[in-house]
Amino acid sequence: MTRNALHSRLLAFALCAVTSLGFFPLPSHANDVEVASKELTTLFRAARKVLSDNQDLINDASKGDKGLSADKVIELTKSNFKQAAGKDLDLTDDGSPTAKAKLAMLDAVKSVMNDAQSLINEQGKGFKGFLPAVFAGRVAKLFSDAMAGKMSIKLTAPKAYLRNRANKPDTWESNIIETMFKSAGYEKGKAYSERADVKGKAAFRYILPEYYGPSCLACHGDPKGAKDITGGTKEGGKLDELGGAISLVIYD
Ligand code: HEC
């Protein structure tokens, strides 16, 4: 080996060592937050899916106790997570922000379900308005409050389809929805992430598009302007059209 070749090998080795020791933490950190974001949004959707899967049960006027206790919903959330992620939900508390966030998310789910028991178990009442999006909005609020400026999550929608002003997209979210998610070439279901300030605070932002499936159109579909079962106004949305997004912020 020539002196030069040896030098460049040594240099390459030194660079690798420096990188792996974390002197250049950006790439691995960027990867960590990406992985955490995927896990947390998957968990959020896994919980909401329990509510979608059980809408008929929840709205069954003939039944009292629906058997959807907080513990039951947590159990179903974990099994939905496993199905979506292909692995068990790891709840080891290693003190990391992600571990805290997963526990905070499950606590939020428990709390929302405990508060909803008397509503969902009322016999003789059909439609109860305890929709997946309502559940998700409450979980998002409790989770974001509990994470106190470290993380926040939100279910949002394109501005033209917004029902609840509390879910209004901010400028960054709206921009990604309108210019990327709605563009013809954008890969369906692909999350978008980047570093961006949120109200002057440096953060990692992650947003995941969601589309109308057949079950959504009873409320969000045609005829546009007609009333749906909730008393809200149908958006005239089409099958597979972009209907919403889950937005997660991880502050530095
Ligand atoms: C029974 C009627 C109904 C069905 C079915 C329904 N939604 Fe909604 N959706 C609503 C209502 C009402 C709200 C407003 C909830 C609130 O007040 O927070 C809402 C809110 C949302 C939001 C939050 C943003 C906003 O506009 O406030 C998204 C996203 C959303 N729905 C998407 C979907 C998708 C996707 C499906 C199907 C998987 C679906 N919805 C099924 C009635 C429905």
Side-chain angles (χ1 to χ4, degrees), residues 33-69:
V33 283
E34 186 87 39
V35 169
S37 302
K38 189 165 182 208
E39 196 175 20
L40 288 166
T41 48
T42 302
L43 182 57
F44 186 65
R45 297 177 80 177
R48 186 187 53 183
K49 186 171 188 296
V50 178
L51 272 288
S52 339
D53 291 347
N54 287 288
Q55 273 297 294
D56 290 348
L57 171 67
I58 290 170
N59 293 328
D60 184 346
S62 73
K63 273 208 182 90
D65 187 359
K66 308 296 188 297
L68 277 181
S69 64

PDB file of all heavy atoms in Angstrom, residues 33-69:
ATOM      1  N   VAL A  33     -35.737  10.598  14.931  1.00  0.00           N
ATOM      2  CA  VAL A  33     -37.020  11.305  15.009  1.00  0.00           C
ATOM      3  C   VAL A  33     -37.979  10.818  13.934  1.00  0.00           C
ATOM      4  O   VAL A  33     -39.185  10.771  14.153  1.00  0.00           O
ATOM      5  CB  VAL A  33     -36.882  12.854  14.962  1.00  0.00           C
ATOM      6  CG1 VAL A  33     -36.415  13.394  16.296  1.00  0.00           C
ATOM      7  CG2 VAL A  33     -36.024  13.310  13.832  1.00  0.00           C
ATOM      8  N   GLU A  34     -37.435  10.416  12.818  1.00  0.00           N
ATOM      9  CA  GLU A  34     -38.268   9.869  11.741  1.00  0.00           C
ATOM     10  C   GLU A  34     -38.926   8.562  12.217  1.00  0.00           C
ATOM     11  O   GLU A  34     -40.130   8.359  12.055  1.00  0.00           O
ATOM     12  CB  GLU A  34     -37.365   9.603  10.515  1.00  0.00           C
ATOM     13  CG  GLU A  34     -38.085   9.177   9.269  1.00  0.00           C
ATOM     14  CD  GLU A  34     -38.563  10.354   8.430  1.00  0.00           C
ATOM     15  OE1 GLU A  34     -37.820  11.347   8.319  1.00  0.00           O
ATOM     16  OE2 GLU A  34     -39.682  10.273   7.906  1.00  0.00           O
ATOM     17  N   VAL A  35     -38.118   7.696  12.816  1.00  0.00           N
ATOM     18  CA  VAL A  35     -38.617   6.410  13.316  1.00  0.00           C
ATOM     19  C   VAL A  35     -39.647   6.648  14.429  1.00  0.00           C
ATOM     20  O   VAL A  35     -40.718   6.039  14.452  1.00  0.00           O
ATOM     21  CB  VAL A  35     -37.446   5.528  13.830  1.00  0.00           C
ATOM     22  CG1 VAL A  35     -37.957   4.316  14.587  1.00  0.00           C
ATOM     23  CG2 VAL A  35     -36.571   5.093  12.663  1.00  0.00           C
ATOM     24  N   ALA A  36     -39.332   7.563  15.330  1.00  0.00           N
ATOM     25  CA  ALA A  36     -40.251   7.871  16.430  1.00  0.00           C
ATOM     26  C   ALA A  36     -41.568   8.418  15.889  1.00  0.00           C
ATOM     27  O   ALA A  36     -42.647   8.048  16.358  1.00  0.00           O
ATOM     28  CB  ALA A  36     -39.606   8.894  17.371  1.00  0.00           C
ATOM     29  N   SER A  37     -41.486   9.261  14.882  1.00  0.00           N
ATOM     30  CA  SER A  37     -42.696   9.871  14.308  1.00  0.00           C
ATOM     31  C   SER A  37     -43.582   8.802  13.693  1.00  0.00           C
ATOM     32  O   SER A  37     -44.806   8.812  13.855  1.00  0.00           O
ATOM     33  CB  SER A  37     -42.328  10.878  13.217  1.00  0.00           C
ATOM     34  OG  SER A  37     -41.504  11.867  13.734  1.00  0.00           O
ATOM     35  N   LYS A  38     -42.945   7.872  13.004  1.00  0.00           N
ATOM     36  CA  LYS A  38     -43.713   6.812  12.363  1.00  0.00           C
ATOM     37  C   LYS A  38     -44.406   5.969  13.431  1.00  0.00           C
ATOM     38  O   LYS A  38     -45.583   5.625  13.307  1.00  0.00           O
ATOM     39  CB  LYS A  38     -42.775   5.957  11.508  1.00  0.00           C
ATOM     40  CG  LYS A  38     -43.524   4.992  10.653  1.00  0.00           C
ATOM     41  CD  LYS A  38     -42.683   4.395   9.560  1.00  0.00           C
ATOM     42  CE  LYS A  38     -43.585   3.470   8.750  1.00  0.00           C
ATOM     43  NZ  LYS A  38     -42.871   2.391   8.136  1.00  0.00           N
ATOM     44  N   GLU A  39     -43.681   5.659  14.486  1.00  0.00           N
ATOM     45  CA  GLU A  39     -44.233   4.830  15.548  1.00  0.00           C
ATOM     46  C   GLU A  39     -45.407   5.538  16.250  1.00  0.00           C
ATOM     47  O   GLU A  39     -46.454   4.947  16.501  1.00  0.00           O
ATOM     48  CB  GLU A  39     -43.122   4.487  16.543  1.00  0.00           C
ATOM     49  CG  GLU A  39     -43.475   3.338  17.459  1.00  0.00           C
ATOM     50  CD  GLU A  39     -42.321   2.934  18.362  1.00  0.00           C
ATOM     51  OE1 GLU A  39     -41.387   3.742  18.560  1.00  0.00           O
ATOM     52  OE2 GLU A  39     -42.386   1.810  18.898  1.00  0.00           O
ATOM     53  N   LEU A  40     -45.223   6.824  16.539  1.00  0.00           N
ATOM     54  CA  LEU A  40     -46.271   7.556  17.260  1.00  0.00           C
ATOM     55  C   LEU A  40     -47.519   7.779  16.412  1.00  0.00           C
ATOM     56  O   LEU A  40     -48.636   7.676  16.912  1.00  0.00           O
ATOM     57  CB  LEU A  40     -45.720   8.898  17.752  1.00  0.00           C
ATOM     58  CG  LEU A  40     -44.726   8.761  18.907  1.00  0.00           C
ATOM     59  CD1 LEU A  40     -43.961  10.050  19.138  1.00  0.00           C
ATOM     60  CD2 LEU A  40     -45.461   8.346  20.181  1.00  0.00           C
ATOM     61  N   THR A  41     -47.333   8.071  15.127  1.00  0.00           N
ATOM     62  CA  THR A  41     -48.520   8.263  14.292  1.00  0.00           C
ATOM     63  C   THR A  41     -49.222   6.920  14.057  1.00  0.00           C
ATOM     64  O   THR A  41     -50.437   6.861  13.977  1.00  0.00           O
ATOM     65  CB  THR A  41     -48.183   8.958  12.946  1.00  0.00           C
ATOM     66  OG1 THR A  41     -47.050   8.310  12.347  1.00  0.00           O
ATOM     67  CG2 THR A  41     -47.856  10.432  13.143  1.00  0.00           C
ATOM     68  N   THR A  42     -48.447   5.847  13.994  1.00  0.00           N
ATOM     69  CA  THR A  42     -49.051   4.509  13.851  1.00  0.00           C
ATOM     70  C   THR A  42     -49.873   4.175  15.097  1.00  0.00           C
ATOM     71  O   THR A  42     -50.980   3.631  15.003  1.00  0.00           O
ATOM     72  CB  THR A  42     -47.964   3.434  13.618  1.00  0.00           C
ATOM     73  OG1 THR A  42     -47.224   3.786  12.451  1.00  0.00           O
ATOM     74  CG2 THR A  42     -48.565   2.055  13.424  1.00  0.00           C
ATOM     75  N   LEU A  43     -49.344   4.538  16.259  1.00  0.00           N
ATOM     76  CA  LEU A  43     -50.056   4.281  17.516  1.00  0.00           C
ATOM     77  C   LEU A  43     -51.356   5.109  17.592  1.00  0.00           C
ATOM     78  O   LEU A  43     -52.406   4.595  17.983  1.00  0.00           O
ATOM     79  CB  LEU A  43     -49.131   4.612  18.697  1.00  0.00           C
ATOM     80  CG  LEU A  43     -49.682   4.358  20.095  1.00  0.00           C
ATOM     81  CD1 LEU A  43     -50.117   2.905  20.272  1.00  0.00           C
ATOM     82  CD2 LEU A  43     -48.635   4.718  21.163  1.00  0.00           C
ATOM     83  N   PHE A  44     -51.257   6.347  17.174  1.00  0.00           N
ATOM     84  CA  PHE A  44     -52.426   7.235  17.163  1.00  0.00           C
ATOM     85  C   PHE A  44     -53.525   6.664  16.249  1.00  0.00           C
ATOM     86  O   PHE A  44     -54.694   6.583  16.623  1.00  0.00           O
ATOM     87  CB  PHE A  44     -51.952   8.609  16.654  1.00  0.00           C
ATOM     88  CG  PHE A  44     -52.965   9.720  16.693  1.00  0.00           C
ATOM     89  CD1 PHE A  44     -53.463  10.190  17.893  1.00  0.00           C
ATOM     90  CD2 PHE A  44     -53.374  10.351  15.521  1.00  0.00           C
ATOM     91  CE1 PHE A  44     -54.375  11.246  17.923  1.00  0.00           C
ATOM     92  CE2 PHE A  44     -54.276  11.400  15.531  1.00  0.00           C
ATOM     93  CZ  PHE A  44     -54.779  11.852  16.747  1.00  0.00           C
ATOM     94  N   ARG A  45     -53.119   6.208  15.085  1.00  0.00           N
ATOM     95  CA  ARG A  45     -54.096   5.629  14.153  1.00  0.00           C
ATOM     96  C   ARG A  45     -54.639   4.300  14.673  1.00  0.00           C
ATOM     97  O   ARG A  45     -55.797   3.961  14.434  1.00  0.00           O
ATOM     98  CB  ARG A  45     -53.454   5.399  12.782  1.00  0.00           C
ATOM     99  CG  ARG A  45     -53.008   6.685  12.129  1.00  0.00           C
ATOM    100  CD  ARG A  45     -52.325   6.418  10.826  1.00  0.00           C
ATOM    101  NE  ARG A  45     -53.297   6.176   9.768  1.00  0.00           N
ATOM    102  CZ  ARG A  45     -52.965   5.970   8.509  1.00  0.00           C
ATOM    103  NH1 ARG A  45     -51.701   5.945   8.149  1.00  0.00           N
ATOM    104  NH2 ARG A  45     -53.880   5.780   7.603  1.00  0.00           N
ATOM    105  N   ALA A  46     -53.779   3.534  15.349  1.00  0.00           N
ATOM    106  CA  ALA A  46     -54.208   2.238  15.883  1.00  0.00           C
ATOM    107  C   ALA A  46     -55.324   2.441  16.907  1.00  0.00           C
ATOM    108  O   ALA A  46     -56.287   1.669  16.964  1.00  0.00           O
ATOM    109  CB  ALA A  46     -53.027   1.518  16.522  1.00  0.00           C
ATOM    110  N   ALA A  47     -55.202   3.494  17.713  1.00  0.00           N
ATOM    111  CA  ALA A  47     -56.235   3.793  18.712  1.00  0.00           C
ATOM    112  C   ALA A  47     -57.516   4.259  18.028  1.00  0.00           C
ATOM    113  O   ALA A  47     -58.617   3.794  18.346  1.00  0.00           O
ATOM    114  CB  ALA A  47     -55.727   4.865  19.670  1.00  0.00           C
ATOM    115  N   ARG A  48     -57.369   5.140  17.052  1.00  0.00           N
ATOM    116  CA  ARG A  48     -58.560   5.649  16.359  1.00  0.00           C
ATOM    117  C   ARG A  48     -59.287   4.522  15.636  1.00  0.00           C
ATOM    118  O   ARG A  48     -60.516   4.522  15.534  1.00  0.00           O
ATOM    119  CB  ARG A  48     -58.146   6.748  15.373  1.00  0.00           C
ATOM    120  CG  ARG A  48     -59.327   7.429  14.704  1.00  0.00           C
ATOM    121  CD  ARG A  48     -58.878   8.386  13.622  1.00  0.00           C
ATOM    122  NE  ARG A  48     -58.001   7.709  12.692  1.00  0.00           N
ATOM    123  CZ  ARG A  48     -57.399   8.288  11.662  1.00  0.00           C
ATOM    124  NH1 ARG A  48     -57.580   9.574  11.436  1.00  0.00           N
ATOM    125  NH2 ARG A  48     -56.628   7.602  10.847  1.00  0.00           N
ATOM    126  N   LYS A  49     -58.531   3.532  15.129  1.00  0.00           N
ATOM    127  CA  LYS A  49     -59.146   2.413  14.409  1.00  0.00           C
ATOM    128  C   LYS A  49     -60.090   1.619  15.317  1.00  0.00           C
ATOM    129  O   LYS A  49     -61.105   1.099  14.847  1.00  0.00           O
ATOM    130  CB  LYS A  49     -58.062   1.488  13.824  1.00  0.00           C
ATOM    131  CG  LYS A  49     -58.624   0.379  12.951  1.00  0.00           C
ATOM    132  CD  LYS A  49     -57.522  -0.365  12.214  1.00  0.00           C
ATOM    133  CE  LYS A  49     -58.085  -1.336  11.185  1.00  0.00           C
ATOM    134  NZ  LYS A  49     -58.889  -2.427  11.758  1.00  0.00           N
ATOM    135  N   VAL A  50     -59.783   1.560  16.616  1.00  0.00           N
ATOM    136  CA  VAL A  50     -60.685   0.861  17.547  1.00  0.00           C
ATOM    137  C   VAL A  50     -62.054   1.547  17.516  1.00  0.00           C
ATOM    138  O   VAL A  50     -63.092   0.893  17.528  1.00  0.00           O
ATOM    139  CB  VAL A  50     -60.121   0.887  18.993  1.00  0.00           C
ATOM    140  CG1 VAL A  50     -61.079   0.204  19.956  1.00  0.00           C
ATOM    141  CG2 VAL A  50     -58.734   0.236  19.044  1.00  0.00           C
ATOM    142  N   LEU A  51     -62.027   2.872  17.442  1.00  0.00           N
ATOM    143  CA  LEU A  51     -63.284   3.626  17.412  1.00  0.00           C
ATOM    144  C   LEU A  51     -64.018   3.438  16.092  1.00  0.00           C
ATOM    145  O   LEU A  51     -65.249   3.346  16.073  1.00  0.00           O
ATOM    146  CB  LEU A  51     -62.990   5.114  17.657  1.00  0.00           C
ATOM    147  CG  LEU A  51     -62.959   5.563  19.112  1.00  0.00           C
ATOM    148  CD1 LEU A  51     -64.371   5.589  19.687  1.00  0.00           C
ATOM    149  CD2 LEU A  51     -62.094   4.672  19.992  1.00  0.00           C
ATOM    150  N   SER A  52     -63.292   3.377  14.972  1.00  0.00           N
ATOM    151  CA  SER A  52     -63.965   3.145  13.681  1.00  0.00           C
ATOM    152  C   SER A  52     -64.536   1.745  13.636  1.00  0.00           C
ATOM    153  O   SER A  52     -65.674   1.551  13.218  1.00  0.00           O
ATOM    154  CB  SER A  52     -63.036   3.302  12.469  1.00  0.00           C
ATOM    155  OG  SER A  52     -61.922   4.053  12.740  1.00  0.00           O
ATOM    156  N   ASP A  53     -63.761   0.753  14.107  1.00  0.00           N
ATOM    157  CA  ASP A  53     -64.232  -0.633  14.068  1.00  0.00           C
ATOM    158  C   ASP A  53     -65.466  -0.842  14.938  1.00  0.00           C
ATOM    159  O   ASP A  53     -66.226  -1.781  14.728  1.00  0.00           O
ATOM    160  CB  ASP A  53     -63.126  -1.592  14.547  1.00  0.00           C
ATOM    161  CG  ASP A  53     -61.970  -1.686  13.563  1.00  0.00           C
ATOM    162  OD1 ASP A  53     -62.128  -1.223  12.411  1.00  0.00           O
ATOM    163  OD2 ASP A  53     -60.898  -2.202  13.944  1.00  0.00           O
ATOM    164  N   ASN A  54     -65.643   0.029  15.935  1.00  0.00           N
ATOM    165  CA  ASN A  54     -66.740  -0.181  16.889  1.00  0.00           C
ATOM    166  C   ASN A  54     -67.844   0.876  16.818  1.00  0.00           C
ATOM    167  O   ASN A  54     -68.634   1.002  17.753  1.00  0.00           O
ATOM    168  CB  ASN A  54     -66.168  -0.265  18.305  1.00  0.00           C
ATOM    169  CG  ASN A  54     -65.435  -1.578  18.524  1.00  0.00           C
ATOM    170  OD1 ASN A  54     -66.052  -2.637  18.623  1.00  0.00           O
ATOM    171  ND2 ASN A  54     -64.117  -1.522  18.545  1.00  0.00           N
ATOM    172  N   GLN A  55     -67.911   1.627  15.702  1.00  0.00           N
ATOM    173  CA  GLN A  55     -68.943   2.651  15.585  1.00  0.00           C
ATOM    174  C   GLN A  55     -70.356   2.071  15.680  1.00  0.00           C
ATOM    175  O   GLN A  55     -71.217   2.626  16.351  1.00  0.00           O
ATOM    176  CB  GLN A  55     -68.812   3.431  14.268  1.00  0.00           C
ATOM    177  CG  GLN A  55     -67.866   4.616  14.351  1.00  0.00           C
ATOM    178  CD  GLN A  55     -68.314   5.697  15.325  1.00  0.00           C
ATOM    179  OE1 GLN A  55     -69.336   6.349  15.120  1.00  0.00           O
ATOM    180  NE2 GLN A  55     -67.563   5.890  16.400  1.00  0.00           N
ATOM    181  N   ASP A  56     -70.600   0.935  15.018  1.00  0.00           N
ATOM    182  CA  ASP A  56     -71.942   0.349  15.045  1.00  0.00           C
ATOM    183  C   ASP A  56     -72.312  -0.079  16.462  1.00  0.00           C
ATOM    184  O   ASP A  56     -73.441   0.121  16.904  1.00  0.00           O
ATOM    185  CB  ASP A  56     -72.038  -0.853  14.091  1.00  0.00           C
ATOM    186  CG  ASP A  56     -71.992  -0.415  12.641  1.00  0.00           C
ATOM    187  OD1 ASP A  56     -72.116   0.811  12.392  1.00  0.00           O
ATOM    188  OD2 ASP A  56     -71.828  -1.282  11.745  1.00  0.00           O
ATOM    189  N   LEU A  57     -71.347  -0.663  17.153  1.00  0.00           N
ATOM    190  CA  LEU A  57     -71.583  -1.070  18.542  1.00  0.00           C
ATOM    191  C   LEU A  57     -71.877   0.162  19.409  1.00  0.00           C
ATOM    192  O   LEU A  57     -72.847   0.179  20.175  1.00  0.00           O
ATOM    193  CB  LEU A  57     -70.337  -1.810  19.065  1.00  0.00           C
ATOM    194  CG  LEU A  57     -70.313  -2.121  20.555  1.00  0.00           C
ATOM    195  CD1 LEU A  57     -71.395  -3.137  20.918  1.00  0.00           C
ATOM    196  CD2 LEU A  57     -68.936  -2.656  20.990  1.00  0.00           C
ATOM    197  N   ILE A  58     -71.049   1.186  19.277  1.00  0.00           N
ATOM    198  CA  ILE A  58     -71.218   2.406  20.083  1.00  0.00           C
ATOM    199  C   ILE A  58     -72.595   3.022  19.856  1.00  0.00           C
ATOM    200  O   ILE A  58     -73.241   3.503  20.786  1.00  0.00           O
ATOM    201  CB  ILE A  58     -70.098   3.426  19.755  1.00  0.00           C
ATOM    202  CG1 ILE A  58     -68.753   2.925  20.294  1.00  0.00           C
ATOM    203  CG2 ILE A  58     -70.415   4.809  20.313  1.00  0.00           C
ATOM    204  CD1 ILE A  58     -67.544   3.715  19.823  1.00  0.00           C
ATOM    205  N   ASN A  59     -73.059   2.972  18.608  1.00  0.00           N
ATOM    206  CA  ASN A  59     -74.346   3.603  18.280  1.00  0.00           C
ATOM    207  C   ASN A  59     -75.546   2.650  18.364  1.00  0.00           C
ATOM    208  O   ASN A  59     -76.634   2.985  17.911  1.00  0.00           O
ATOM    209  CB  ASN A  59     -74.262   4.224  16.881  1.00  0.00           C
ATOM    210  CG  ASN A  59     -73.296   5.410  16.848  1.00  0.00           C
ATOM    211  OD1 ASN A  59     -73.158   6.124  17.831  1.00  0.00           O
ATOM    212  ND2 ASN A  59     -72.626   5.607  15.731  1.00  0.00           N
ATOM    213  N   ASP A  60     -75.323   1.477  18.949  1.00  0.00           N
ATOM    214  CA  ASP A  60     -76.414   0.501  19.085  1.00  0.00           C
ATOM    215  C   ASP A  60     -77.308   0.882  20.269  1.00  0.00           C
ATOM    216  O   ASP A  60     -76.921   0.746  21.434  1.00  0.00           O
ATOM    217  CB  ASP A  60     -75.803  -0.895  19.292  1.00  0.00           C
ATOM    218  CG  ASP A  60     -76.860  -1.992  19.338  1.00  0.00           C
ATOM    219  OD1 ASP A  60     -78.063  -1.653  19.470  1.00  0.00           O
ATOM    220  OD2 ASP A  60     -76.486  -3.177  19.257  1.00  0.00           O
ATOM    221  N   ALA A  61     -78.539   1.350  19.935  1.00  0.00           N
ATOM    222  CA  ALA A  61     -79.453   1.832  20.978  1.00  0.00           C
ATOM    223  C   ALA A  61     -79.945   0.706  21.882  1.00  0.00           C
ATOM    224  O   ALA A  61     -80.340   0.940  23.027  1.00  0.00           O
ATOM    225  CB  ALA A  61     -80.646   2.536  20.334  1.00  0.00           C
ATOM    226  N   SER A  62     -79.902  -0.542  21.365  1.00  0.00           N
ATOM    227  CA  SER A  62     -80.477  -1.646  22.133  1.00  0.00           C
ATOM    228  C   SER A  62     -79.550  -2.116  23.267  1.00  0.00           C
ATOM    229  O   SER A  62     -79.985  -2.812  24.175  1.00  0.00           O
ATOM    230  CB  SER A  62     -80.789  -2.816  21.197  1.00  0.00           C
ATOM    231  OG  SER A  62     -79.593  -3.448  20.799  1.00  0.00           O
ATOM    232  N   LYS A  63     -78.296  -1.754  23.191  1.00  0.00           N
ATOM    233  CA  LYS A  63     -77.319  -2.230  24.176  1.00  0.00           C
ATOM    234  C   LYS A  63     -76.970  -1.164  25.198  1.00  0.00           C
ATOM    235  O   LYS A  63     -76.828   0.001  24.851  1.00  0.00           O
ATOM    236  CB  LYS A  63     -76.014  -2.599  23.458  1.00  0.00           C
ATOM    237  CG  LYS A  63     -75.946  -3.994  22.924  1.00  0.00           C
ATOM    238  CD  LYS A  63     -74.477  -4.470  22.892  1.00  0.00           C
ATOM    239  CE  LYS A  63     -74.380  -5.852  22.304  1.00  0.00           C
ATOM    240  NZ  LYS A  63     -74.202  -5.841  20.852  1.00  0.00           N
ATOM    241  N   GLY A  64     -76.809  -1.579  26.446  1.00  0.00           N
ATOM    242  CA  GLY A  64     -76.278  -0.685  27.478  1.00  0.00           C
ATOM    243  C   GLY A  64     -74.762  -0.751  27.446  1.00  0.00           C
ATOM    244  O   GLY A  64     -74.132  -0.174  26.551  1.00  0.00           O
ATOM    245  N   ASP A  65     -74.207  -1.519  28.396  1.00  0.00           N
ATOM    246  CA  ASP A  65     -72.748  -1.640  28.478  1.00  0.00           C
ATOM    247  C   ASP A  65     -72.161  -2.163  27.163  1.00  0.00           C
ATOM    248  O   ASP A  65     -72.502  -3.247  26.706  1.00  0.00           O
ATOM    249  CB  ASP A  65     -72.399  -2.598  29.630  1.00  0.00           C
ATOM    250  CG  ASP A  65     -70.891  -2.644  29.875  1.00  0.00           C
ATOM    251  OD1 ASP A  65     -70.136  -1.966  29.150  1.00  0.00           O
ATOM    252  OD2 ASP A  65     -70.476  -3.368  30.812  1.00  0.00           O
ATOM    253  N   LYS A  66     -71.268  -1.369  26.569  1.00  0.00           N
ATOM    254  CA  LYS A  66     -70.694  -1.760  25.279  1.00  0.00           C
ATOM    255  C   LYS A  66     -69.411  -2.575  25.437  1.00  0.00           C
ATOM    256  O   LYS A  66     -68.836  -3.033  24.445  1.00  0.00           O
ATOM    257  CB  LYS A  66     -70.387  -0.516  24.432  1.00  0.00           C
ATOM    258  CG  LYS A  66     -71.555   0.468  24.262  1.00  0.00           C
ATOM    259  CD  LYS A  66     -72.698  -0.146  23.498  1.00  0.00           C
ATOM    260  CE  LYS A  66     -73.790   0.855  23.158  1.00  0.00           C
ATOM    261  NZ  LYS A  66     -74.464   1.458  24.333  1.00  0.00           N
ATOM    262  N   GLY A  67     -68.927  -2.679  26.655  1.00  0.00           N
ATOM    263  CA  GLY A  67     -67.699  -3.450  26.879  1.00  0.00           C
ATOM    264  C   GLY A  67     -66.458  -2.756  26.339  1.00  0.00           C
ATOM    265  O   GLY A  67     -65.417  -3.374  26.165  1.00  0.00           O
ATOM    266  N   LEU A  68     -66.575  -1.458  26.061  1.00  0.00           N
ATOM    267  CA  LEU A  68     -65.415  -0.729  25.530  1.00  0.00           C
ATOM    268  C   LEU A  68     -64.780   0.113  26.633  1.00  0.00           C
ATOM    269  O   LEU A  68     -64.718   1.341  26.542  1.00  0.00           O
ATOM    270  CB  LEU A  68     -65.835   0.173  24.375  1.00  0.00           C
ATOM    271  CG  LEU A  68     -65.945  -0.459  22.990  1.00  0.00           C
ATOM    272  CD1 LEU A  68     -66.361   0.588  21.963  1.00  0.00           C
ATOM    273  CD2 LEU A  68     -64.624  -1.111  22.564  1.00  0.00           C
ATOM    274  N   SER A  69     -64.331  -0.584  27.669  1.00  0.00           N
ATOM    275  CA  SER A  69     -63.664   0.119  28.765  1.00  0.00           C
ATOM    276  C   SER A  69     -62.332   0.669  28.266  1.00  0.00           C
ATOM    277  O   SER A  69     -61.847   0.267  27.202  1.00  0.00           O
ATOM    278  CB  SER A  69     -63.394  -0.868  29.900  1.00  0.00           C
ATOM    279  OG  SER A  69     -62.477  -1.853  29.435  1.00  0.00           O
TER     280      SER A  69
END
